[in-house]
Amino acid sequence: MGKLSGKIAVVTGGTTGIGLATARLFAAEGAKVVVTGRNAQTLAAAREELVGVADVVQSDAGDPTEVRKLFEEIGRQYARIDVLFLNAGIARFAPFADSQEALFDETIRVNLKGPFVALQAALPFLNKGASVIVNTTVGTERALAGASVYSASKAALATLARGAAVELAGRGIRVNAVRPGPITTPIFGKTGLSPEAIEAFAKWRAPRSSWRATIPLSSPGTSCPWMAACSPPDSTRLLPAARATSPRRAGRLRRRRAHFAGASWRRDR
Ligand SMILES: NC(=O)c1ccc[n+]([C@@H]2O[C@H](COP(=O)([O-])OP(=O)(O)OC[C@H]3O[C@@H](n4cnc5c(N)ncnc54)[C@H](OP(=O)(O)O)[C@@H]3O)[C@@H](O)[C@H]2O)c1
């Protein structure tokens, strides 16, 4: 029996790259998987590739109306979500001085507002033991030239996830952030970088000492164990700070969970 046998898993942005590989892994672990995407071509390709593996649904991850509709539909069909991987994201790179407002707005729309709306919309269907994973980037804590807007959107997402993790812990819902290093996926072709810059970026490796939790990754499949590690209901491996945790940290979270379970946010301030 797989780790996710009988579970309902939703992967936003699951038509290519990390999301697609993770959807396959979740399905191999026994989950019923729903993936989303926006682009008609990649949706069609994913539908062919994921026949019998996952349902592929068109939904713009940055459009609140479409996101709410998506989760209402999933709720109607399955009544619950056990694993929610908020993975859909865009990476448009530009030097800071040349970054236009339109790039900023689009990046925040898809990478930050989308997951915010999605997590809220999914809440009614997330029960005790559910796992939410948001996909951020090593760039949240490491300076990457040309990626200031992208990294900022993901840093905000990581912070949002951290806050949600503490608040939702009382309901037995785990929220984690993963922050992969460079992984070769179609995203590089959409960054706006030159082929030489893409090659240099893809070779970039985080120093091991300070980035042990991030580990250098190079193919979409290698990141999947991290998503899977977050997913089983009995997992305590990853807790809100997106790092591997120690028993002491797990104890701290349990105490915080008890604290939040017993007091309303307002009363507690
Ligand atoms: N690859 C890396 O080095 C790396 C490193 C760290 C973090 N990440 C993060 O990992 C996530 C997945 O990236 P990836 O590398 O696997 O890239 P990818 O192959 O380009 O995959 C992105 C996925 O998100 C979907 N997507 C993008 N915008 C969307 C929108 N508005 N609505 C719905 N779906 C949308 C894409 O679908 P469409 O084709 O339909 O647009 C695709 O399924 C992103 O959040 C990215 O920031 C990637």
Side-chain angles (χ1 to χ4, degrees):
M1 208 165 84
K3 280 190 200 129
L4 300 177
S5 252
K7 305 285 179 197
I8 309 295
V10 178
V11 179
T12 67
T15 52
T16 61
I18 299 169
L20 178 65
T22 304
R24 281 212 193 90
L25 180 123
F26 285 171
E29 289 290 350
K32 167 80 201 158
V33 185
V34 178
V35 309
T36 72
R38 182 175 58 161
N39 176 296
Q41 259 182 322
T42 45
L43 278 162
R47 278 195 186 107
E48 262 183 44
E49 246 184 285
L50 294 175
V51 172
V53 174
D55 290 344
V56 181
V57 179
Q58 180 160 29
S59 172
D60 183 343
D63 179 332
T65 307
E66 286 194 20
V67 171
R68 289 192 192 101
K69 209 170 115 200
L70 169 78
F71 284 98
E72 274 165 23
E73 189 46 48
I74 291 171
R76 240 193 313 275
Q77 207 169 337
Y78 301 106
R80 66 171 213 280
I81 298 167
D82 301 296
V83 181
L84 174 61
F85 182 28
L86 296 173
N87 165 72
I90 54 169
R92 310 264 157 80
F93 290 177
F96 177 78
D98 300 337
S99 295
Q100 304 294 315
E101 272 185 49
L103 178 143
F104 184 92
D105 290 344
E106 179 65 357
T107 304
I108 295 296
R109 184 182 83 86
V110 178
N111 291 1
L112 180 60
K113 187 170 180 183
F116 162 72
V117 174
L119 180 51
Q120 277 196 343
L123 270 181
F125 311 111
L126 296 169
N127 297 322
K128 194 166 184 229
S131 170
V132 179
I133 308 150
V134 303
N135 203 348
T136 70
T137 167
V138 67
T140 56
E141 295 181 42
R142 189 95 190 164
L144 297 179
S148 53
V149 174
Y150 170 70
S151 298
S153 72
K154 294 291 191 173
L157 177 60
T159 307
L160 191 82
R162 207 173 283 138
V166 172
E167 293 186 33
L168 297 179
R171 288 170 55 173
I173 300 168
R174 287 163 299 124
V175 183
N176 290 288
V178 288
R179 50 170 193 229
I183 300 172
T184 307
T185 71
I187 208 167
F188 285 103
K190 310 171 204 166
T191 51
L193 294 175
S194 68
E196 298 75 37
I198 291 173
E199 201 182 329
F201 190 80
K203 281 186 186 147
W204 182 75
R205 289 287 179 267
R208 274 184 163 265
S209 54
S210 56
W211 292 99
R212 210 162 288 157
T214 307
I215 53 171
L217 304 168
S218 56
S219 77
T222 53
S223 62
C224 295
W226 285 88
M227 320 314 171
C230 299
S231 305
D234 58 349
S235 168
T236 52
R237 182 160 170 71
L238 291 174
L239 290 174
R243 293 168 198 274
T245 189
S246 65
R248 189 154 19 126
R249 293 184 78 192
R252 268 210 303 269
L253 186 82
R254 267 197 298 277
R255 282 194 292 282
R256 243 186 276 169
R257 183 180 297 166
H259 175 78
F260 274 92
S264 83
W265 180 252
R266 185 166 289 284
R267 232 184 12 241
D268 195 51
R269 266 195 303 189

